[in-house]
Amino acid sequence: MATVLVVDDSVSLRSMVTFTLTKQGYDVVEAEDGEDAFNKAKHIVCDLVLTDVNMPKMDGISLCTELRKLESFKFTPILILTTENSQEMKYKGKAAGATGWLVKPFNPETLLSTLKRVVR
Amino acid sequence: MSIDLSQFIPVFLEESFEGLEVMESGLLNLEENDAEAINAIFRAAHSIKGGAGTFGFSNITDFTHVVETLMDELRAGRRSCSDSLKSVLLSSVDCIRLLLEAARDGTACDEPQIKQVLQQLEAELSCDNEDKVAIVSNELEIIDLSSSHVPVMETLGWVIDFAPAPHLLMTGNEPILLMSALADLGQLVTNAAIGLVPSLDELNPEELFLHWKINLYSDCSELAVREIFEWVEGDCSLSVFPLQKSADVTSEESVTNDPVAPEMTFEKATEQPANAESVEPASASFETLSPKISSDSPAAPAQNSRKNQADQGSIRVGIDKIDGLINRVGELVITQSMLGQVGLEMSDCDHPGVERLNDGLVQLERNTRDLQEEVMRIRMLPISFVFNRFPRMVHDISSKLGKLVELKLSGEQTELDKTVMEKIGDPLLHLIRNALDHGLETPQERIAAGKTESGTVHLNASHQGGFIIIQIKDDGRGLDTDKIREKALSSGLITTDQLLNDTDIHDLIFVPGFSTVAEVNDLSGRGVGMDVVRRNIEALGGYVAVVSEEGEGSTFTVSLPLTLAILDGQLIQAHHEIYIIPLLSIIESIWVSTGSLNAVVGRGCLFSFRDEYIPVISLSDVFGLSETPKNFTNSLMVIVEGGGKRAGLIVDELQGQQQVVIKSLETNYKRVEGFSGATILGTGQVALILDVAGVIKMGLDSSTSRYPHAATKDNGHLLAKANI
């Protein structure tokens, strides 16, 4: 089953996402900010990244840019979790190499059905 | 599949309260160009909003959204941080706190205040520059469009023409997965066009050259289809139109986009030529922002305790688990002391194993003590958790009173038990408010008195033995001894023939009934609620005292035990009853003879101890244990200190010293004057723990008349009822 890297500085949201994914059989690696995620990403193979935008140390957009520089993340789907359903955010994400975005709040069902578009 | 999200709500609430702390301290110290602080505040608001949305607290989401918007504009430099903005943001922190508390308790919350602050926030939002407004309204338009009515027609399905750009795979999207998501909507018939695929030697395997025509047989809406391609619009050309022959051409689109020059293509709704104007400002706004992307440096770590703890590799544990652990350890301590008792009784036994047993018991005692200390440390937190509430409060109150105040905090890292911390916040708050309200003078008065214009309130915490000492010191006007005496006389607390020194008079402000009246303005409020403050602090096994110098200021000192779970006690016996005196309250124990005691009319008996006369109190008299008053000749006296006073307690016998687990009388029975709790001894016997300050007070009260305390009558009843 696929491995998902979940990046969010909010513990409650991270646990919710992790719980939802593990229940479905995904393997989850958690990270609490962009920097943490980037450090972990260097040592794991993962099939999907879910990242929040606003985080200390390194935000989600910068993380996306950095991950795309890694050979192992060239084609990896990266989804940005955003509360703004704004064009600006989507452009920024796209420009940084993000695959798509999920607008918060989302419920577990939406999360799972959306993931199907990018991960087997 | 349904997932119950409620299990994550406590964590969300805990996080959000922490976020509010970050917001509050950030706002209090906010400087104009402090990008780091602004970012931290923004992120905190943002996380609260996001979580609230996820866990279904829409009222919190809506409210925080406005706060976040304002913070975002501050962040982007589109707004300056005026004082009015800061103060309305501070009020909004309070509102969010109220909303969160209501969410936690499942209650409704104070609507008018929330509404009022929301209006203020919106007023702040609306005083804005023109182009910003223009962009907002355009965004609104766009949102309208995206939720605009898409005609739903009876259709067999959809014809989808999907031609991905060669670089599509680099975005992490994959056509196969998009197809399988489509297949979830209905039956698919796909045709791939391979005309563009280059010869094998020219083929770059990382690029895509296929082009699909898909018939989807489904009664789903066009929106559902477009949603699947939401993330690839701009990286492909896509057209969707109904399967049935229809002249509806408007829903067809064919856009080939170069993502480097983005346009409005991420719309779920049908694009219509009419919204071309609305495209302009949005992409313009993107362009104005694009330089910012590169300069968006990674934000600095928030000054957040959780983060710091996380760095040290911490885990979050529910307080109930820790409480359970502490209770277990408490039981273990009792068991250990029981075994110790057995070991003592068996030491005369002539058995080869006895010596080893006693060695083991000594080790057990040491290990138990260490374990208990370790466990207690888990619940210890720095008092900064309480102190951090005060800068904001001082800021608010002083600006309301028109006074200038500098609040100094020191010793914030002093640790104490979480349970004590939770209970001490309010009394401290009251003491600080009191210092601001009645202690400090107005700037004019201060200048007239030859002081600096701005007053100082100093809050300091430190450890002293098993106690934490918190001092609230102000350099204000101090307590007016004459006024307090007058007040106490007029309210009948003291009589004219009582000789009281200044300390005694100052102490009167803590006496219930010493409430002040409005006409004594400068005194108004001094003492209002002070009796409650003292009572609450004493209920924690602590005490509060005041030292004041007229014109120079006052210092309130609060002493609290570090923990409410365990104490080192001295077992004493008075008339067949065993009591426990906290070791920390004991100065020394001595034999006294009649010669060294002086009977004073109206003051009972006094003993000369280190240049002062201290009252002598017989426990068996105070607790009414025997019918005949005790004769003090050749008795054992334990000299104790409590509540800032000393006294000699006459006891019959000193027994061992041991660590005892405190069981609350209040929770299991009711508050009993003179006792702070109870414990179970190794013998299984229940013993009451003395509240030294309370006993001294009882002794002084009963020195003229026998104290009719019903401890004996109560004891049997108490122990029968108490579930300890």
Side-chain angles (χ1 to χ4, degrees), chain B residues 252-423:
Chain B
E252 185 174 332
E253 72 166 67
S254 183
V255 189
T256 340
N257 257 319
D258 179 0
V260 182
E263 289 172 41
M264 294 289 297
T265 53
F266 299 122
E267 280 312 326
K268 297 178 189 173
T270 50
E271 291 276 355
Q272 286 161 358
N275 67 8
E277 299 91 55
S278 69
V279 176
E280 285 304 314
S283 45
S285 83
F286 165 67
E287 273 158 32
T288 52
L289 275 153
S290 53
K292 279 209 65 75
I293 299 175
S294 51
S295 66
D296 233 9
S297 58
Q303 287 306 308
N304 181 323
S305 60
R306 184 166 54 80
K307 289 279 172 297
N308 299 342
Q309 287 167 9
D311 291 344
Q312 296 164 12
S314 70
I315 55 165
R316 238 171 228 266
V317 183
I319 198 79
D320 55 330
K321 286 186 184 166
I322 295 177
D323 286 349
L325 190 60
I326 285 175
N327 280 333
R328 272 300 128 230
V329 171
E331 298 301 324
L332 186 65
V333 171
I334 291 170
T335 311
Q336 174 267 316
S337 71
M338 190 258 298
L339 288 174
Q341 198 90 23
V342 174
L344 279 179
E345 286 161 18
M346 287 176 58
S347 47
D348 313 337
C349 257
D350 198 19
H351 186 284
V354 168
E355 199 176 328
R356 273 188 303 140
L357 172 73
N358 276 324
D359 284 350
L361 288 173
V362 169
Q363 273 184 37
L364 178 67
E365 183 180 3
R366 198 173 49 232
N367 286 333
T368 311
R369 183 176 277 263
D370 289 350
L371 176 66
Q372 174 258 314
E373 273 172 13
E374 288 293 322
V375 171
M376 293 313 298
R377 276 186 46 209
I378 298 178
R379 242 185 10 183
M380 295 287 229
L381 292 169
I383 198 165
S384 57
F385 279 92
V386 176
F387 279 13
N388 288 345
R389 291 162 53 185
F390 299 137
R392 165 72 192 280
M393 187 195 88
V394 169
H395 168 273
D396 287 359
I397 293 180
S398 58
S399 58
K400 210 175 289 175
L401 296 170
K403 292 180 180 175
L404 297 171
V405 185
E406 186 192 356
L407 178 71
K408 287 185 184 162
L409 299 177
S410 52
E412 302 105 304
Q413 291 311 310
T414 312
E415 292 195 336
L416 79 162
D417 192 293
K418 187 174 189 286
T419 44
V420 183
M421 181 124 61
E422 280 164 356
K423 295 193 169 86

Side-chain angles (χ1 to χ4, degrees), chain B residues 451-508:
Chain B
K451 295 181 176 180
T452 52
E453 196 178 17
S454 119
T456 311
V457 174
H458 188 169
L459 199 56
N460 176 48
S462 59
H463 278 153
Q464 212 173 3
F467 279 80
I468 183 168
I469 311 288
I470 304 163
Q471 284 194 320
I472 298 103
K473 187 175 178 174
D474 69 67
D475 64 348
R477 56 171 75 96
L479 294 174
D480 186 333
T481 320
D482 297 340
K483 283 235 165 68
I484 296 174
R485 189 200 306 272
E486 263 169 54
K487 186 89 209 61
L489 280 172
S490 66
S491 48
L493 292 176
I494 53 172
T495 50
T496 40
D497 58 355
Q498 271 179 292
L499 293 172
L500 296 171
N501 59 22
D502 281 2
T503 316
D504 292 339
I505 291 176
H506 292 162
D507 209 53
L508 287 170

Side-chain angles (χ1 to χ4, degrees), chain B residues 190-208:
Chain B
T190 54
N191 287 300
I194 53 172
L196 293 172
V197 182
S199 63
L200 200 54
D201 52 349
E202 289 171 14
L203 180 83
N204 175 356
E206 293 185 354
E207 292 189 333
L208 272 175

Side-chain angles (χ1 to χ4, degrees), chain B residues 518-680:
Chain B
E519 63 249 31
V520 194
N521 264 337
D522 59 336
L523 200 72
S524 158
R526 265 295 192 200
V528 170
M530 279 294 180
D531 55 325
V532 181
V533 170
R534 172 166 280 185
R535 201 171 57 235
N536 288 340
I537 291 172
E538 286 180 352
L540 293 172
Y543 59 88
V544 56
V546 60
V547 176
S548 177
E549 190 70 47
E550 223 164 310
E552 298 297 314
S554 314
T555 304
F556 285 84
T557 306
V558 179
S559 317
L560 289 164
L562 287 178
T563 165
L564 303 178
I566 281 184
L567 64 79
D568 282 308
Q570 167 71 56
L571 274 62
I572 56 112
Q573 195 176 335
H575 202 86
H576 315 306
E577 289 286 341
I578 291 185
Y579 296 104
I580 290 160
I581 302 178
L583 216 47
L584 287 164
S585 324
I586 299 178
I587 302 171
E588 61 183 79
S589 303
I590 47 176
W591 285 103
V592 289
S593 56
T594 326
S596 55
L597 296 176
N598 311 285
V600 177
V601 177
R603 294 292 294 264
C605 236
L606 295 179
F607 172 73
S608 166
F609 175 72
R610 300 185 193 169
D611 307 331
E612 65 169 323
Y613 281 96
I614 58 169
V616 178
I617 298 163
S618 156
L619 282 187
S620 82
D621 287 356
V622 165
F623 296 149
L625 300 177
S626 71
E627 292 304 311
T628 47
K630 190 157 170 63
N631 177 354
F632 291 162
T633 322
N634 285 338
S635 334
L636 193 54
M637 180 158 80
V638 181
I639 296 169
V640 291
E641 185 171 32
K645 292 194 177 71
R646 286 177 176 179
L649 301 181
I650 299 293
V651 303
D652 292 350
E653 197 183 312
L654 287 181
Q655 296 185 347
Q657 291 176 0
Q658 68 175 70
Q659 225 181 12
V660 298
V661 179
I662 305 170
K663 302 280 183 185
S664 164
L665 278 177
E666 218 164 344
T667 0
N668 296 306
Y669 175 58
K670 66 178 185 192
R671 246 194 104 176
V672 183
E673 199 186 0
F675 298 108
S676 61
T679 191
I680 303 167

Side-chain angles (χ1 to χ4, degrees), chain A residues 10-12 57 91 94 99 109, chain B residues 1 15 171 231 263 298-299:
Chain A
S10 156
V11 180
S12 53
K57 294 185 191 163
Y91 289 136
K94 279 269 180 189
T99 306
E109 289 77 9
Chain B
M1 181 203 67
E15 254 183 345
T171 68
W231 297 338
E263 289 172 41

Side-chain angles (χ1 to χ4, degrees), chain A residues 17-33:
Chain A
V17 171
T18 303
F19 182 81
T20 306
L21 295 178
T22 43
K23 225 175 151 151
Q24 283 297 296
Y26 289 98
D27 291 324
V28 177
V29 178
E30 294 188 45
E32 61 176 29
D33 56 52

